[in-house]
mmCIF file of all heavy atoms in Angstrom:
data_model
loop_
_atom_site.group_PDB
_atom_site.id
_atom_site.type_symbol
_atom_site.label_atom_id
_atom_site.label_comp_id
_atom_site.label_asym_id
_atom_site.label_seq_id
_atom_site.Cartn_x
_atom_site.Cartn_y
_atom_site.Cartn_z
ATOM 1 N N MET C 22 13.935 -69.147 -191.469
ATOM 2 C CA MET C 22 14.943 -68.109 -191.652
ATOM 3 C C MET C 22 15.472 -67.583 -190.264
ATOM 4 O O MET C 22 14.703 -67.363 -189.427
ATOM 5 C CB MET C 22 14.390 -66.962 -192.449
ATOM 6 C CG MET C 22 14.156 -67.241 -193.894
ATOM 7 S SD MET C 22 15.668 -67.755 -194.725
ATOM 8 C CE MET C 22 15.065 -68.196 -196.333
ATOM 9 N N THR C 23 16.700 -67.430 -190.287
ATOM 10 C CA THR C 23 17.307 -66.972 -189.084
ATOM 11 C C THR C 23 17.582 -65.399 -189.150
ATOM 12 O O THR C 23 18.065 -64.905 -190.237
ATOM 13 C CB THR C 23 18.731 -67.569 -188.771
ATOM 14 O OG1 THR C 23 19.525 -67.313 -189.886
ATOM 15 C CG2 THR C 23 18.501 -69.035 -188.476
ATOM 16 N N GLU C 24 17.172 -64.750 -188.174
ATOM 17 C CA GLU C 24 17.312 -63.294 -188.199
ATOM 18 C C GLU C 24 18.468 -62.926 -187.369
ATOM 19 O O GLU C 24 18.428 -62.940 -186.175
ATOM 20 C CB GLU C 24 16.056 -62.638 -187.750
ATOM 21 C CG GLU C 24 14.938 -62.800 -188.712
ATOM 22 C CD GLU C 24 13.735 -62.001 -188.347
ATOM 23 O OE1 GLU C 24 13.860 -61.141 -187.330
ATOM 24 O OE2 GLU C 24 12.620 -62.110 -188.912
ATOM 25 N N ASP C 25 19.533 -62.506 -187.963
ATOM 26 C CA ASP C 25 20.753 -62.103 -187.253
ATOM 27 C C ASP C 25 20.735 -60.602 -186.899
ATOM 28 O O ASP C 25 21.496 -59.874 -187.369
ATOM 29 C CB ASP C 25 21.981 -62.424 -187.990
ATOM 30 C CG ASP C 25 22.254 -63.956 -187.978
ATOM 31 O OD1 ASP C 25 21.985 -64.598 -186.917
ATOM 32 O OD2 ASP C 25 22.604 -64.454 -189.009
ATOM 33 N N ALA C 26 19.757 -60.240 -186.115
ATOM 34 C CA ALA C 26 19.572 -58.845 -185.835
ATOM 35 C C ALA C 26 20.205 -58.521 -184.562
ATOM 36 O O ALA C 26 19.733 -58.726 -183.523
ATOM 37 C CB ALA C 26 18.105 -58.475 -185.814
ATOM 38 N N ILE C 27 21.475 -58.124 -184.706
ATOM 39 C CA ILE C 27 22.294 -57.850 -183.576
ATOM 40 C C ILE C 27 22.013 -56.316 -183.135
ATOM 41 O O ILE C 27 22.431 -55.406 -183.817
ATOM 42 C CB ILE C 27 23.743 -58.002 -183.776
ATOM 43 C CG1 ILE C 27 24.027 -59.455 -184.244
ATOM 44 C CG2 ILE C 27 24.647 -57.591 -182.537
ATOM 45 C CD1 ILE C 27 25.491 -59.677 -184.620
ATOM 46 N N SER C 28 21.281 -56.239 -182.096
ATOM 47 C CA SER C 28 20.992 -54.916 -181.680
ATOM 48 C C SER C 28 22.201 -54.261 -181.017
ATOM 49 O O SER C 28 22.941 -54.778 -180.210
ATOM 50 C CB SER C 28 19.868 -54.873 -180.632
ATOM 51 O OG SER C 28 20.359 -55.758 -179.584
ATOM 52 N N PRO C 29 22.501 -53.010 -181.409
ATOM 53 C CA PRO C 29 23.677 -52.290 -180.930
ATOM 54 C C PRO C 29 23.493 -51.971 -179.389
ATOM 55 O O PRO C 29 22.710 -51.079 -179.025
ATOM 56 C CB PRO C 29 23.796 -50.999 -181.752
ATOM 57 C CG PRO C 29 22.398 -50.871 -182.268
ATOM 58 C CD PRO C 29 21.774 -52.183 -182.369
ATOM 59 N N ASP C 30 24.209 -52.758 -178.603
ATOM 60 C CA ASP C 30 24.050 -52.497 -177.184
ATOM 61 C C ASP C 30 25.116 -51.480 -176.773
ATOM 62 O O ASP C 30 26.164 -51.881 -176.333
ATOM 63 C CB ASP C 30 24.202 -53.794 -176.478
ATOM 64 C CG ASP C 30 22.954 -54.172 -175.600
ATOM 65 O OD1 ASP C 30 22.255 -53.136 -175.195
ATOM 66 O OD2 ASP C 30 22.686 -55.301 -175.321
ATOM 67 N N GLN C 31 24.772 -50.278 -176.918
ATOM 68 C CA GLN C 31 25.783 -49.241 -176.472
ATOM 69 C C GLN C 31 25.331 -48.675 -175.103
ATOM 70 O O GLN C 31 24.942 -47.598 -175.023
ATOM 71 C CB GLN C 31 25.771 -48.183 -177.575
ATOM 72 C CG GLN C 31 26.368 -48.675 -178.842
ATOM 73 C CD GLN C 31 26.468 -47.572 -179.910
ATOM 74 O OE1 GLN C 31 25.991 -46.502 -179.691
ATOM 75 N NE2 GLN C 31 27.113 -47.865 -180.994
ATOM 76 N N ASP C 32 25.621 -49.430 -174.152
ATOM 77 C CA ASP C 32 25.315 -48.967 -172.829
ATOM 78 C C ASP C 32 26.511 -49.234 -171.911
ATOM 79 O O ASP C 32 26.604 -50.235 -171.174
ATOM 80 C CB ASP C 32 24.129 -49.814 -172.214
ATOM 81 C CG ASP C 32 22.794 -49.258 -172.766
ATOM 82 O OD1 ASP C 32 22.784 -48.049 -173.169
ATOM 83 O OD2 ASP C 32 21.881 -49.997 -172.760
ATOM 84 N N PRO C 33 27.487 -48.356 -172.000
ATOM 85 C CA PRO C 33 28.757 -48.450 -171.192
ATOM 86 C C PRO C 33 28.429 -48.426 -169.788
ATOM 87 O O PRO C 33 29.004 -49.095 -168.864
ATOM 88 C CB PRO C 33 29.635 -47.347 -171.698
ATOM 89 C CG PRO C 33 28.676 -46.318 -172.307
ATOM 90 C CD PRO C 33 27.458 -47.156 -172.831
ATOM 91 N N GLU C 34 27.418 -47.536 -169.445
ATOM 92 C CA GLU C 34 27.078 -47.397 -168.021
ATOM 93 C C GLU C 34 25.600 -47.642 -167.890
ATOM 94 O O GLU C 34 24.905 -46.794 -167.401
ATOM 95 C CB GLU C 34 27.498 -45.989 -167.496
ATOM 96 C CG GLU C 34 29.066 -45.796 -167.498
ATOM 97 C CD GLU C 34 29.331 -44.410 -167.012
ATOM 98 O OE1 GLU C 34 29.235 -44.267 -165.830
ATOM 99 O OE2 GLU C 34 29.847 -43.558 -167.785
ATOM 100 N N ALA C 35 25.194 -48.817 -168.257
ATOM 101 C CA ALA C 35 23.801 -49.053 -168.185
ATOM 102 C C ALA C 35 23.341 -49.113 -166.715
ATOM 103 O O ALA C 35 22.317 -48.643 -166.347
ATOM 104 C CB ALA C 35 23.525 -50.385 -168.903
ATOM 105 N N ASP C 36 24.208 -49.800 -165.935
ATOM 106 C CA ASP C 36 23.793 -49.959 -164.486
ATOM 107 C C ASP C 36 25.010 -49.591 -163.643
ATOM 108 O O ASP C 36 25.662 -50.487 -163.133
ATOM 109 C CB ASP C 36 23.357 -51.351 -164.295
ATOM 110 C CG ASP C 36 22.596 -51.508 -162.927
ATOM 111 O OD1 ASP C 36 21.627 -50.700 -162.755
ATOM 112 O OD2 ASP C 36 23.046 -52.239 -162.062
ATOM 113 N N PRO C 37 25.187 -48.298 -163.513
ATOM 114 C CA PRO C 37 26.395 -47.894 -162.732
ATOM 115 C C PRO C 37 26.142 -48.109 -161.194
ATOM 116 O O PRO C 37 25.256 -47.422 -160.614
ATOM 117 C CB PRO C 37 26.522 -46.415 -163.042
ATOM 118 C CG PRO C 37 25.167 -45.926 -163.439
ATOM 119 C CD PRO C 37 24.441 -47.151 -163.997
ATOM 120 N N PRO C 38 26.882 -48.984 -160.691
ATOM 121 C CA PRO C 38 26.794 -49.195 -159.210
ATOM 122 C C PRO C 38 27.430 -48.105 -158.473
ATOM 123 O O PRO C 38 28.443 -47.488 -158.809
ATOM 124 C CB PRO C 38 27.610 -50.540 -158.943
ATOM 125 C CG PRO C 38 28.584 -50.553 -160.125
ATOM 126 C CD PRO C 38 27.946 -49.852 -161.260
ATOM 127 N N ARG C 39 26.792 -47.858 -157.288
ATOM 128 C CA ARG C 39 27.340 -46.730 -156.529
ATOM 129 C C ARG C 39 28.643 -47.100 -155.800
ATOM 130 O O ARG C 39 28.534 -47.666 -154.727
ATOM 131 C CB ARG C 39 26.278 -46.237 -155.477
ATOM 132 C CG ARG C 39 25.066 -45.751 -156.265
ATOM 133 C CD ARG C 39 24.044 -45.263 -155.207
ATOM 134 N NE ARG C 39 24.625 -44.071 -154.491
ATOM 135 C CZ ARG C 39 23.917 -43.432 -153.437
ATOM 136 N NH1 ARG C 39 22.745 -43.991 -153.124
ATOM 137 N NH2 ARG C 39 24.384 -42.462 -152.898
ATOM 138 N N GLN C 40 29.752 -46.885 -156.491
ATOM 139 C CA GLN C 40 31.008 -47.300 -155.790
ATOM 140 C C GLN C 40 31.617 -46.093 -155.122
ATOM 141 O O GLN C 40 32.212 -45.212 -155.683
ATOM 142 C CB GLN C 40 31.901 -47.757 -156.938
ATOM 143 C CG GLN C 40 31.480 -49.159 -157.430
ATOM 144 C CD GLN C 40 32.539 -49.739 -158.442
ATOM 145 O OE1 GLN C 40 33.353 -49.095 -158.820
ATOM 146 N NE2 GLN C 40 32.448 -51.021 -158.647
ATOM 147 N N GLN C 41 31.457 -46.131 -153.845
ATOM 148 C CA GLN C 41 32.090 -45.125 -153.070
ATOM 149 C C GLN C 41 33.395 -45.682 -152.571
ATOM 150 O O GLN C 41 33.572 -46.834 -152.258
ATOM 151 C CB GLN C 41 31.233 -44.827 -151.871
ATOM 152 C CG GLN C 41 29.864 -44.128 -152.277
ATOM 153 C CD GLN C 41 29.048 -43.794 -151.132
ATOM 154 O OE1 GLN C 41 29.262 -44.245 -149.996
ATOM 155 N NE2 GLN C 41 28.069 -42.948 -151.310
ATOM 156 N N PRO C 42 34.364 -44.731 -152.482
ATOM 157 C CA PRO C 42 35.652 -45.078 -152.014
ATOM 158 C C PRO C 42 35.611 -45.506 -150.515
ATOM 159 O O PRO C 42 35.481 -44.740 -149.657
ATOM 160 C CB PRO C 42 36.505 -43.826 -152.237
ATOM 161 C CG PRO C 42 35.633 -42.727 -152.293
ATOM 162 C CD PRO C 42 34.294 -43.343 -152.791
ATOM 163 N N THR C 43 35.726 -46.849 -150.391
ATOM 164 C CA THR C 43 35.625 -47.346 -149.059
ATOM 165 C C THR C 43 36.919 -48.016 -148.648
ATOM 166 O O THR C 43 37.450 -48.712 -149.454
ATOM 167 C CB THR C 43 34.483 -48.326 -148.856
ATOM 168 O OG1 THR C 43 34.644 -49.270 -149.898
ATOM 169 C CG2 THR C 43 33.124 -47.587 -149.031
ATOM 170 N N VAL C 44 37.312 -47.854 -147.432
ATOM 171 C CA VAL C 44 38.467 -48.634 -146.896
ATOM 172 C C VAL C 44 38.161 -49.263 -145.625
ATOM 173 O O VAL C 44 37.288 -48.844 -144.877
ATOM 174 C CB VAL C 44 39.693 -47.656 -146.745
ATOM 175 C CG1 VAL C 44 40.169 -47.058 -147.982
ATOM 176 C CG2 VAL C 44 39.283 -46.550 -145.695
ATOM 177 N N CYS C 45 38.750 -50.432 -145.389
ATOM 178 C CA CYS C 45 38.542 -51.199 -144.160
ATOM 179 C C CYS C 45 39.014 -50.319 -142.937
ATOM 180 O O CYS C 45 39.978 -49.726 -142.988
ATOM 181 C CB CYS C 45 39.138 -52.487 -144.214
ATOM 182 S SG CYS C 45 38.991 -53.417 -142.678
ATOM 183 N N LEU C 46 38.082 -50.189 -141.973
ATOM 184 C CA LEU C 46 38.466 -49.412 -140.806
ATOM 185 C C LEU C 46 39.598 -50.055 -139.962
ATOM 186 O O LEU C 46 40.225 -49.510 -139.142
ATOM 187 C CB LEU C 46 37.212 -49.243 -139.910
ATOM 188 C CG LEU C 46 36.130 -48.429 -140.579
ATOM 189 C CD1 LEU C 46 34.938 -48.292 -139.656
ATOM 190 C CD2 LEU C 46 36.656 -47.056 -140.916
ATOM 191 N N ARG C 47 39.721 -51.393 -140.201
ATOM 192 C CA ARG C 47 40.689 -52.148 -139.385
ATOM 193 C C ARG C 47 42.086 -52.140 -140.072
ATOM 194 O O ARG C 47 43.035 -51.826 -139.451
ATOM 195 C CB ARG C 47 40.159 -53.497 -139.199
ATOM 196 C CG ARG C 47 40.985 -54.343 -138.157
ATOM 197 C CD ARG C 47 40.197 -55.561 -137.740
ATOM 198 N NE ARG C 47 41.001 -56.375 -136.812
ATOM 199 C CZ ARG C 47 41.656 -57.484 -137.244
ATOM 200 N NH1 ARG C 47 41.681 -57.796 -138.499
ATOM 201 N NH2 ARG C 47 42.403 -58.172 -136.380
ATOM 202 N N CYS C 48 42.117 -52.629 -141.270
ATOM 203 C CA CYS C 48 43.348 -52.796 -141.985
ATOM 204 C C CYS C 48 43.670 -51.758 -142.994
ATOM 205 O O CYS C 48 44.730 -51.634 -143.479
ATOM 206 C CB CYS C 48 43.405 -54.209 -142.590
ATOM 207 S SG CYS C 48 42.225 -54.458 -143.937
ATOM 208 N N GLY C 49 42.581 -51.006 -143.317
ATOM 209 C CA GLY C 49 42.793 -49.842 -144.212
ATOM 210 C C GLY C 49 42.887 -50.213 -145.632
ATOM 211 O O GLY C 49 43.263 -49.468 -146.435
ATOM 212 N N THR C 50 42.447 -51.393 -145.982
ATOM 213 C CA THR C 50 42.541 -51.895 -147.348
ATOM 214 C C THR C 50 41.337 -51.328 -148.046
ATOM 215 O O THR C 50 40.233 -51.619 -147.636
ATOM 216 C CB THR C 50 42.485 -53.511 -147.423
ATOM 217 O OG1 THR C 50 43.648 -53.968 -146.702
ATOM 218 C CG2 THR C 50 42.553 -53.937 -148.766
ATOM 219 N N PRO C 51 41.665 -50.666 -149.175
ATOM 220 C CA PRO C 51 40.513 -50.134 -150.033
ATOM 221 C C PRO C 51 39.741 -51.288 -150.672
ATOM 222 O O PRO C 51 40.432 -52.156 -151.239
ATOM 223 C CB PRO C 51 41.209 -49.218 -151.065
ATOM 224 C CG PRO C 51 42.624 -49.733 -151.149
ATOM 225 C CD PRO C 51 42.944 -50.325 -149.706
ATOM 226 N N GLY C 52 38.492 -51.230 -150.618
ATOM 227 C CA GLY C 52 37.696 -52.316 -151.183
ATOM 228 C C GLY C 52 36.343 -52.253 -150.615
ATOM 229 O O GLY C 52 35.950 -51.440 -149.815
ATOM 230 N N PRO C 53 35.490 -53.360 -150.982
ATOM 231 C CA PRO C 53 34.157 -53.458 -150.499
ATOM 232 C C PRO C 53 34.250 -53.854 -149.002
ATOM 233 O O PRO C 53 34.889 -54.748 -148.559
ATOM 234 C CB PRO C 53 33.575 -54.628 -151.268
ATOM 235 C CG PRO C 53 34.763 -55.421 -151.792
ATOM 236 C CD PRO C 53 35.896 -54.401 -151.908
ATOM 237 N N VAL C 54 33.452 -53.016 -148.220
ATOM 238 C CA VAL C 54 33.413 -53.295 -146.833
ATOM 239 C C VAL C 54 31.933 -53.479 -146.333
ATOM 240 O O VAL C 54 31.100 -53.068 -147.048
ATOM 241 C CB VAL C 54 34.036 -52.124 -145.996
ATOM 242 C CG1 VAL C 54 35.481 -51.899 -146.314
ATOM 243 C CG2 VAL C 54 33.274 -50.837 -146.293
ATOM 244 N N SER C 55 31.835 -54.122 -145.250
ATOM 245 C CA SER C 55 30.436 -54.307 -144.813
ATOM 246 C C SER C 55 29.905 -53.012 -144.202
ATOM 247 O O SER C 55 30.525 -51.988 -144.242
ATOM 248 C CB SER C 55 30.499 -55.431 -143.762
ATOM 249 O OG SER C 55 31.172 -55.022 -142.633
ATOM 250 N N GLU C 56 28.683 -53.137 -143.670
ATOM 251 C CA GLU C 56 28.086 -51.980 -143.043
ATOM 252 C C GLU C 56 28.871 -51.478 -141.858
ATOM 253 O O GLU C 56 28.883 -50.241 -141.441
ATOM 254 C CB GLU C 56 26.663 -52.293 -142.611
ATOM 255 C CG GLU C 56 25.737 -52.625 -143.733
ATOM 256 C CD GLU C 56 24.306 -52.826 -143.338
ATOM 257 O OE1 GLU C 56 24.092 -52.973 -142.098
ATOM 258 O OE2 GLU C 56 23.476 -53.095 -144.126
ATOM 259 N N ASP C 57 29.552 -52.395 -141.231
ATOM 260 C CA ASP C 57 30.446 -51.951 -140.075
ATOM 261 C C ASP C 57 31.728 -51.268 -140.531
ATOM 262 O O ASP C 57 32.353 -50.641 -139.701
ATOM 263 C CB ASP C 57 30.783 -53.229 -139.261
ATOM 264 C CG ASP C 57 29.564 -53.804 -138.625
ATOM 265 O OD1 ASP C 57 28.567 -53.094 -138.367
ATOM 266 O OD2 ASP C 57 29.510 -55.006 -138.485
ATOM 267 N N GLY C 58 32.046 -51.373 -141.818
ATOM 268 C CA GLY C 58 33.271 -50.745 -142.226
ATOM 269 C C GLY C 58 34.423 -51.635 -142.274
ATOM 270 O O GLY C 58 35.594 -51.154 -142.407
ATOM 271 N N PHE C 59 34.213 -52.910 -142.196
ATOM 272 C CA PHE C 59 35.296 -53.834 -142.197
ATOM 273 C C PHE C 59 35.284 -54.747 -143.471
ATOM 274 O O PHE C 59 34.174 -55.054 -143.913
ATOM 275 C CB PHE C 59 35.368 -54.655 -140.977
ATOM 276 C CG PHE C 59 35.413 -53.909 -139.659
ATOM 277 C CD1 PHE C 59 34.349 -53.893 -138.850
ATOM 278 C CD2 PHE C 59 36.550 -53.111 -139.443
ATOM 279 C CE1 PHE C 59 34.429 -53.175 -137.656
ATOM 280 C CE2 PHE C 59 36.659 -52.420 -138.248
ATOM 281 C CZ PHE C 59 35.597 -52.383 -137.376
ATOM 282 N N CYS C 60 36.418 -55.076 -143.945
ATOM 283 C CA CYS C 60 36.371 -56.012 -145.066
ATOM 284 C C CYS C 60 36.065 -57.421 -144.588
ATOM 285 O O CYS C 60 36.058 -57.676 -143.409
ATOM 286 C CB CYS C 60 37.745 -55.980 -145.748
ATOM 287 S SG CYS C 60 39.061 -56.629 -144.757
ATOM 288 N N ALA C 61 35.865 -58.272 -145.536
ATOM 289 C CA ALA C 61 35.399 -59.620 -145.207
ATOM 290 C C ALA C 61 36.472 -60.299 -144.364
ATOM 291 O O ALA C 61 36.170 -61.060 -143.415
ATOM 292 C CB ALA C 61 35.117 -60.448 -146.486
ATOM 293 N N LYS C 62 37.704 -60.005 -144.648
ATOM 294 C CA LYS C 62 38.791 -60.669 -144.002
ATOM 295 C C LYS C 62 38.755 -60.252 -142.535
ATOM 296 O O LYS C 62 38.839 -61.011 -141.621
ATOM 297 C CB LYS C 62 40.139 -60.288 -144.583
ATOM 298 C CG LYS C 62 41.290 -61.196 -144.298
ATOM 299 C CD LYS C 62 42.484 -60.767 -145.111
ATOM 300 C CE LYS C 62 43.664 -61.678 -144.807
ATOM 301 N NZ LYS C 62 44.820 -61.251 -145.671
ATOM 302 N N CYS C 63 38.692 -58.960 -142.323
ATOM 303 C CA CYS C 63 38.670 -58.460 -140.894
ATOM 304 C C CYS C 63 37.376 -58.889 -140.165
ATOM 305 O O CYS C 63 37.415 -59.064 -138.968
ATOM 306 C CB CYS C 63 38.803 -56.921 -140.909
ATOM 307 S SG CYS C 63 40.476 -56.406 -141.362
ATOM 308 N N GLU C 64 36.319 -58.914 -140.915
ATOM 309 C CA GLU C 64 35.107 -59.381 -140.299
ATOM 310 C C GLU C 64 35.169 -60.692 -139.672
ATOM 311 O O GLU C 64 34.775 -60.997 -138.601
ATOM 312 C CB GLU C 64 33.986 -59.329 -141.371
ATOM 313 C CG GLU C 64 33.332 -58.007 -141.564
ATOM 314 C CD GLU C 64 31.822 -58.101 -141.567
ATOM 315 O OE1 GLU C 64 31.319 -59.002 -142.235
ATOM 316 O OE2 GLU C 64 31.182 -57.161 -141.106
ATOM 317 N N GLN C 65 35.833 -61.613 -140.457
ATOM 318 C CA GLN C 65 36.059 -62.947 -139.889
ATOM 319 C C GLN C 65 36.903 -62.900 -138.685
ATOM 320 O O GLN C 65 36.720 -63.628 -137.724
ATOM 321 C CB GLN C 65 36.672 -63.833 -141.013
ATOM 322 C CG GLN C 65 35.602 -64.240 -141.983
ATOM 323 C CD GLN C 65 36.166 -65.330 -142.971
ATOM 324 O OE1 GLN C 65 37.376 -65.561 -142.908
ATOM 325 N NE2 GLN C 65 35.389 -65.849 -143.893
ATOM 326 N N ALA C 66 37.964 -62.142 -138.836
ATOM 327 C CA ALA C 66 38.949 -62.022 -137.621
ATOM 328 C C ALA C 66 38.228 -61.468 -136.426
ATOM 329 O O ALA C 66 38.418 -61.893 -135.351
ATOM 330 C CB ALA C 66 40.124 -61.084 -138.062
ATOM 331 N N LEU C 67 37.389 -60.447 -136.572
ATOM 332 C CA LEU C 67 36.625 -59.796 -135.592
ATOM 333 C C LEU C 67 35.672 -60.907 -134.957
ATOM 334 O O LEU C 67 35.467 -60.977 -133.782
ATOM 335 C CB LEU C 67 35.974 -58.569 -135.986
ATOM 336 C CG LEU C 67 36.846 -57.396 -136.317
ATOM 337 C CD1 LEU C 67 36.097 -56.189 -136.905
ATOM 338 C CD2 LEU C 67 37.512 -56.912 -135.017
ATOM 339 N N GLU C 68 35.103 -61.599 -135.831
ATOM 340 C CA GLU C 68 34.088 -62.645 -135.316
ATOM 341 C C GLU C 68 34.773 -63.547 -134.441
ATOM 342 O O GLU C 68 34.299 -63.890 -133.324
ATOM 343 C CB GLU C 68 33.459 -63.361 -136.530
ATOM 344 C CG GLU C 68 32.172 -62.692 -137.014
ATOM 345 C CD GLU C 68 31.529 -63.596 -138.076
ATOM 346 O OE1 GLU C 68 31.585 -64.805 -137.918
ATOM 347 O OE2 GLU C 68 30.850 -63.070 -138.911
ATOM 348 N N GLN C 69 35.954 -64.026 -134.820
ATOM 349 C CA GLN C 69 36.723 -64.986 -133.990
ATOM 350 C C GLN C 69 37.124 -64.315 -132.734
ATOM 351 O O GLN C 69 37.263 -64.980 -131.684
ATOM 352 C CB GLN C 69 37.832 -65.506 -134.787
ATOM 353 C CG GLN C 69 37.320 -66.362 -135.909
ATOM 354 C CD GLN C 69 38.528 -67.023 -136.722
ATOM 355 O OE1 GLN C 69 39.699 -66.704 -136.443
ATOM 356 N NE2 GLN C 69 38.260 -67.860 -137.697
ATOM 357 N N ALA C 70 37.512 -63.064 -132.835
ATOM 358 C CA ALA C 70 38.047 -62.342 -131.692
ATOM 359 C C ALA C 70 36.884 -62.044 -130.693
ATOM 360 O O ALA C 70 37.195 -61.991 -129.453
ATOM 361 C CB ALA C 70 38.676 -60.968 -132.092
ATOM 362 N N CYS C 71 35.765 -61.919 -131.119
ATOM 363 C CA CYS C 71 34.612 -61.569 -130.293
ATOM 364 C C CYS C 71 34.066 -62.882 -129.577
ATOM 365 O O CYS C 71 33.212 -62.802 -128.712
ATOM 366 C CB CYS C 71 33.404 -60.958 -131.099
ATOM 367 S SG CYS C 71 33.921 -59.223 -131.400
ATOM 368 N N LEU C 72 34.464 -64.033 -130.102
ATOM 369 C CA LEU C 72 33.931 -65.219 -129.524
ATOM 370 C C LEU C 72 34.442 -65.465 -128.090
ATOM 371 O O LEU C 72 35.576 -65.176 -127.835
ATOM 372 C CB LEU C 72 34.318 -66.405 -130.325
ATOM 373 C CG LEU C 72 33.509 -66.423 -131.613
ATOM 374 C CD1 LEU C 72 34.034 -67.700 -132.507
ATOM 375 C CD2 LEU C 72 32.001 -66.640 -131.351
HETATM 376 ZN ZN1 ZN S 284 40.166 -55.246 -143.269
#
């Protein structure tokens, strides 16, 4: 017998990530930034610039 016991998953915020409003220090684009405060795009640019 199959048991179609669908448990009511009512967890809209089961795991709320800490989303702080962050903007890139270089280009000012709001979004996920690294610990340095730069977005991935600028990080690559900085890496190349630092070479
Ligand atoms: Zn940036």
Side-chain angles (χ1 to χ4, degrees):
M22 288 300 178
T23 57
E24 290 186 9
D25 289 319
I27 302 176
S28 57
D30 239 331
Q31 293 181 351
D32 281 334
E34 294 182 73
D36 195 55
R39 298 183 65 186
Q40 287 188 344
Q41 294 181 343
T43 53
V44 294
C45 176
L46 295 178
R47 188 166 177 263
C48 63
T50 299
V54 296
S55 67
E56 292 181 357
D57 294 331
F59 301 116
C60 65
K62 200 173 180 179
C63 288
E64 276 224 322
Q65 283 189 350
L67 287 173
E68 269 189 32
Q69 292 182 354
C71 286
L72 287 178

